[in-house]
Amino acid sequence: PRSEAANRRTALICLDQSNDAKKLGHWIDVYEKSSLGVAYDNNIPDLWLLRAEAAAELNRPKVEIISYVETALKSREWIQNCI
């Protein structure tokens, strides 16, 4: 439980950093920070959606983008009003 809480906090920090990078249009940073956040806690759909958006901006394969969106939409634990 303690490690899960620490991982969740770290993932939320990554979410904040991803959002900050998005505001600046730094899509590589958005992709990297959201990917790191997902590694810490893959139950935060906001991170998956940001990852999908960054992947689209970086012209990643559509199948990759779609898988991120589908993963995001499977959860109801939204942190922010992204959707």
Side-chain angles (χ1 to χ4, degrees), residues 64-82:
E64 177 183 341
I65 298 164
I66 291 168
S67 73
Y68 298 155
V69 171
E70 287 176 343
T71 302
L73 294 175
K74 288 178 187 172
S75 178
R76 301 203 185 276
E77 295 182 36
W78 294 92
I79 305 297
Q80 301 169 349
N81 257 348
C82 292

Side-chain angles (χ1 to χ4, degrees), residues 12-48:
L12 291 173
I13 290 168
C14 291
L15 177 61
D16 287 340
Q17 292 173 344
S18 294
N19 279 318
D20 291 344
K22 178 182 172 181
K23 290 174 189 168
L24 298 172
H26 295 169
W27 295 107
I28 292 172
D29 290 339
V30 174
Y31 187 81
E32 291 175 351
K33 294 296 183 183
S34 60
S35 296
L36 182 61
V38 163
Y40 278 101
D41 187 337
N42 65 1
N43 294 312
I44 299 175
D46 309 59
L47 286 168
W48 287 104

